[in-house]
Amino acid sequence: MITTMKSQITLLALSVFLAVACSGDEASPIPVEIQSFDLVGLPFSSPVIDVENKSIIIEVLFGTDLTNLVAKFSLSEDGIVTVDGITQISGVTANDFSSPKIYRVTANNQSQAVDWSVSVVSLAQQPVVSTFALVASNGGIAVKSDGTVFSTSESDKVYKISPTGVVETFVSGDPNITRATMIIFDNSEEYLYVSNTSLTQPGWITKVGLDGTSEVFTSGYSVPTGIAFDNSNNLYIADQNNSIWKVNAAGLKTIFSQNSDFNRPHGMAWAEGSLYVASAHDGNIFKVSDTKSSLFAHVNGLKQQWAAGYMVYLDGSLFITNGDNKIHQISMSGTVSDYAGSGASGSDNGPASNATFNGPNGIGGTVDGTKIYLGEYNVGTIRLIQN
């Protein structure tokens, strides 16, 4: 009898314990989580969602207006989201993110509310990369002061691209243009000059008017690539037999500099009274003044056979492409810094430090350096790097 009563008491106690435990489980439901969160209509935003600490941090481009941004979000299950007591509709409701906002997430059964801190942070000011135009595999880039861009295709074609990115064929089937590489304007911007190579004859430079008519300006070079004008409209030609030629307006050519250290001279730019020459195979940049050359800077590159590409002088700096999918900026004191490109191969746009390129080649830009146009050899895309 006593044993039976003890058993009944034990069962009753166990039943009470289980009832309390189940009641406790019902009082502590799994909270509704924010699974995704982004801002609508921005060219670049990078959200980081910390579920453990219930925080979201979003990086946006420098200069973005934070006062009227619309968030698009999703929840782990049905729930209600409010900010300052106002119900939020994903992709519709705007908020002022000048300071952090608290997103309160409540399950539909009203059993529990969780506060999430959302902060929008502007990135440090840096150039922004975008896709400007699509053309065939391209070589050089020349930019007119009105914003019109010209690009060679390393064939018999030259493309003309409007400031808004509309592409048209400017020259095609011209016997004076074949395997075209570099292209630049003279100082008057009345003529384009195109360097050409050939498998069967020496290379030459073609002079092209804005109406598309052409003539051979100078010839008899091994493999002419980079070309540049000085302030007196003398043309300099990088020949890959380690020679730099100077050709005056009348077409008279002379050797300007010859140096075995050039190691396949490629990109060139005239800046502040001197000629700057980039060696494709080792990344060395030489300064040539009064026909005397000296080492000016060095661009590090893993791909030493394409350590330095084409080069341009804009607003007090040299800008140069290289085989590591980066664009470097070189100050006139010789300091080299990364200007754009993470080094990875790809087509990602956005902040310059995060952008990816695919075979950056020709380069040109506005004289103030606010817009730099870059031709990608591997994919035929022209990218715009804009301050």
Side-chain angles (χ1 to χ4, degrees):
M1 179 72 177
I2 294 174
T3 303
T4 302
M5 289 181 65
K6 285 183 177 179
S7 298
Q8 290 175 344
I9 292 171
T10 301
L11 288 172
L12 179 60
L14 180 59
S15 298
V16 171
F17 172 79
L18 290 173
V20 171
C22 291
S23 176
D25 288 344
E26 291 175 1
S28 302
I30 298 174
V32 179
E33 306 283 5
I34 295 179
Q35 287 189 320
S36 66
F37 195 101
D38 209 344
L39 297 172
V40 176
L42 297 186
F44 173 83
S45 63
S46 179
V48 176
I49 300 177
D50 185 342
V51 175
E52 182 178 352
N53 295 306
K54 301 297 183 285
S55 70
I56 300 173
I57 298 176
I58 302 181
E59 293 182 333
V60 297
L61 295 178
F62 178 86
T64 299
D65 183 2
L66 307 183
T67 62
N68 190 40
L69 296 177
V70 175
K72 184 177 181 179
F73 53 84
S74 63
L75 306 178
S76 58
E77 58 183 85
D78 290 341
I80 300 170
V81 180
T82 60
V83 174
D84 298 330
I86 299 173
T87 300
Q88 304 292 294
I89 302 175
S90 176
V92 176
T93 311
N95 285 291
D96 182 352
F97 286 93
S98 299
S99 58
K101 308 300 290 185
I102 299 300
Y103 274 63
R104 175 159 290 183
V105 182
T106 306
N108 275 344
N109 60 14
Q110 303 291 318
S111 60
Q112 188 176 19
V114 178
D115 288 343
W116 288 69
S117 174
V118 179
S119 300
V120 178
V121 181
S122 291
L123 292 167
Q125 185 173 10
Q126 61 173 301
V128 178
V129 178
S130 60
T131 300
F132 176 66
L134 299 176
V135 297
S137 177
N138 57 75
I141 295 284
V143 181
K144 204 168 183 285
S145 57
D146 66 0
T148 305
V149 177
F150 292 82
S151 172
T152 59
S153 64
E154 298 213 347
S155 65
D156 66 343
K157 291 181 173 60
V158 176
Y159 295 100
K160 179 180 179 181
I161 306 105
S162 75
T164 58
V166 178
V167 180
E168 64 177 281
T169 301
F170 179 61
V171 176
S172 179
D174 187 334
N176 292 329
I177 296 177
T178 179
R179 293 175 60 89
T181 52
M182 186 58 179
I183 182 171
I184 61 171
F185 275 104
D186 65 4
N187 294 330
S188 71
E189 292 192 340
E190 294 179 358
Y191 294 96
L192 288 157
Y193 288 74
V194 181
S195 54
N196 302 269
T197 62
S198 172
L199 297 176
T200 59
Q201 60 183 332
W204 66 96
I205 308 299
T206 301
K207 179 180 178 181
V208 184
L210 294 180
D211 60 356
T213 58
S214 72
E215 61 179 288
V216 174
F217 176 66
T218 182
S219 61
Y221 305 96
S222 175
V223 183
T225 51
I227 49 180
F229 277 102
D230 66 16
N231 297 335
S232 300
N233 232 33
N234 295 304
L235 178 65
Y236 297 84
I237 303 167
D239 201 343
Q240 293 191 358
N241 63 4
N242 296 331
S243 299
I244 307 298
W245 293 84
K246 178 179 179 179
V247 186
N248 67 14
L252 178 64
K253 65 179 183 179
T254 56
I255 287 285
F256 179 69
S257 182
Q258 202 163 31
N259 187 339
S260 59
D261 292 334
F262 282 156
N263 200 358
R264 201 173 177 92
H266 197 73
M268 290 200 307
W270 183 269
E272 301 180 5
S274 296
L275 184 69
Y276 292 83
V277 181
S279 294
H281 281 190
D282 57 21
N284 286 332
I285 312 297
F286 292 89
K287 178 180 180 179
V288 186
S289 300
D290 298 326
T291 73
K292 296 179 181 179
S293 62
S294 59
L295 183 63
F296 173 71
H298 176 76
V299 176
N300 289 318
L302 298 176
K303 297 180 180 179
Q304 286 301 308
Q305 291 216 350
W306 198 249
Y310 288 122
M311 186 164 54
V312 66
Y313 174 76
L314 301 170
D315 193 37
S317 294
L318 296 167
F319 295 88
I320 188 168
T321 61
N322 87 337
D324 286 348
N325 292 313
K326 288 186 176 183
I327 291 81
H328 299 285
Q329 182 177 7
I330 308 173
S331 72
M332 297 318 292
S333 63
T335 301
V336 179
S337 57
D338 290 348
Y339 185 72
S342 67
S345 176
S347 56
D348 295 333
N349 292 319
S353 59
N354 297 337
T356 57
F357 299 103
N358 198 331
N361 193 22
I363 186 170
T366 56
V367 293
D368 61 1
T370 57
K371 292 183 178 181
I372 296 177
Y373 298 87
L374 177 75
E376 293 179 293
Y377 180 79
N378 291 341
V379 292
T381 306
I382 297 179
R383 310 284 288 281
L384 171 60
I385 308 172
Q386 188 167 1
N387 278 315

